Amino acid sequence: MSVDAATVKRIGRLARIRIEENEVETYRGELNAILGFVAQLDEVNIEGVEPMTSVTPMALRRRDDKVTDGNYAEAVVANAPLTEDNFFMVPKVVE
Amino acid sequence: MTDLTRLSIADARKGLDAKTFSARELTDAYLAAIEAANPALNAYVAVTPDKARDMAEASDARIAKGEAGPLEGIPLGIKDLFGTKGVHTQAASHILDGFKPGYESSVTSNLWRDGAVMLGKLNMDEFAMGSSNETSYYGPVVNPWRAKGSDTDLVPGGSSGGSASAVAAWLCAGATATDTGGSIRQPAAFTGTVGIKPTYGRCSRWGVVAFASSLDQAGPIARTVEDAALMMTSMSGFDPKDSTSVDLAVPDFAAAVERGVKGLVIGVPREYRMDGMPQEIEALWQEGLSWLKAEGAEIRDISLPHTKYALPAYYIVAPAEASSNLARYDGVKYGLRVTGKDITDLYEMSRAAGFGREVKRRVMIGTYVLSAGYYDAYYVRAQKVRTLIKRDFEQVFAAGVDAILTPATPSAAFGIGDAAMKADPVKMYLNDIFTVTVNMAGLPGIAVPAGMDGQGLPLGLQLIGKPFDEETLFAAARVIERSAGLDLSPAKWW
């Protein structure tokens, strides 16, 4: 499988990374080099093999469904580039 | 007075307890060394002298009261990936511009609990993506080692290149690092230092900037096996805040260092003998085996048939997880923001400006392999191959093998700006060919200096262990360290 210019632009949009027109060809070449490299996995017989979901033999730990943290909105927004009254500010999203 | 920065952690602890020197004096010696060397090596991205002196004075007070912790007064460098409260934490990325967390990572909290002193934050590949420390927003780190008769700058390896360079050049007594595909062990091998990636789950990931969560593990880089063991004991431990942290008692790793290898079975995987591997790497490997044999280990040929598929599977799994983890950098919650005409524009422009090329490449690959129609062909297949890679190791350990010896890297350190690696991302990825299997299987692995190449550059060997059996790795690595008897002092040119 290899990607074309349209696919590079589509991935860029999905990844929310602006790809300039003059970058498309470089990305296309690099992504195809990597996809070419990983294509050797096609020769592995994976018949009946379970995909790995946990590298250690343990079930994901669960905690009690209780509030254990919070109430520090100021600290949460402290690093944000633009805030008002402890809200993150973004360009208008609803007309 | 002797140069305090040359002391091992173990010896510095003895000197502090005997009051031969104070923690403040030790910290001042390191701060002076950083000031003199960092313009040339670029190992630190932020130095915290006031904090370091405050912590050192607090250590002196505890030592005076007889309340010294296991790492009391030991000055450490911290990889920029670890969240440190109120201090520069940017994963060496432009997108985290100005980020100072309001929390402290669990691993660094453990170190401060045990009395260690923070000197500052260490350079690294951006978001830990790289094998040469050239992807950092803050510029490349320089390896203190140079080839004989050459003044060419070499890479320290990556992604923990700042950690490795700082430890090798005596700019900290030890450093924290992280390893997703080889990022502790490869730079350790390139700089003549000791680096261990513990078993997945041994060190908490809480408060560490995430790259690929199912592979990321923290560990130390230090100048001796004993020092690495001392740091490992403090860094490890169960943490309820990390859902994959394992609730297991932490051994006194330093106590295992002199245990020896008598009666151990050391496996030699035939698949690690790569085509075109330099003769000196092969010779080093054989020498390592003969040292272990001379001390009573049994050497056994083994097979790990899926080895060659680990790196391609990694380059699906790691970018996939990264594309998901790095979705949080959106120009809204923290860091760099580039204003656009609407919210989507803001996201796309902020991420285009804030991420470097390697990071963008990996997020793009990850997005592609997770996208509709490709998920089964790439991601699910890679996770199945990962099951087979882990099974290879399980079968070998079940057959009685205690640890596996391999080369750590396919070569010694290379030059900054290497043309061949620049032209082909896959060539750079091949640096991790011997280390990445260990992350895929969640196993512990240690890199230990074992020899020098023809140009006088350090070369390392890697030992791979059973899950949660880091003690055997420390014991076997110590035998290699002692048998090699190397002078690991790079000639000071900086």
Side-chain angles (χ1 to χ4, degrees), chain A residues 30-89:
Chain A
E30 290 171 353
L31 298 187
N32 281 332
I34 297 166
L35 293 172
F37 174 64
V38 303
Q40 42 181 315
L41 294 183
D42 292 344
E43 67 196 52
V44 185
N45 180 6
I46 51 166
E47 192 72 33
V49 178
E50 285 296 312
M52 181 179 286
T53 50
S54 171
V55 74
T56 40
M58 62 182 275
L60 204 60
R61 221 174 29 255
R62 294 173 191 182
R63 64 173 179 84
D64 293 338
D65 186 13
K66 281 192 301 208
V67 178
T68 56
D69 199 9
N71 281 325
Y72 40 75
E74 270 173 44
V76 171
V77 300
N79 277 289
L82 198 62
T83 64
E84 209 176 293
D85 299 333
N86 291 342
F87 286 98
F88 296 113
M89 300 301 284

Side-chain angles (χ1 to χ4, degrees), chain B residues 422-471:
Chain B
K422 240 181 176 167
D424 178 4
V426 172
K427 197 167 165 70
M428 181 68 86
Y429 297 170
L430 289 172
N431 265 287
D432 292 336
I433 189 114
F434 299 132
T435 50
V436 76
T437 51
V438 174
N439 302 76
M440 293 301 270
L443 301 172
I446 192 168
V448 59
M452 297 290 180
D453 77 353
Q455 303 184 81
L457 296 174
L459 293 171
L461 288 172
Q462 172 181 238
L463 284 147
I464 303 169
K466 294 188 266 196
F468 301 103
D469 188 18
E470 290 87 356
E471 288 168 284

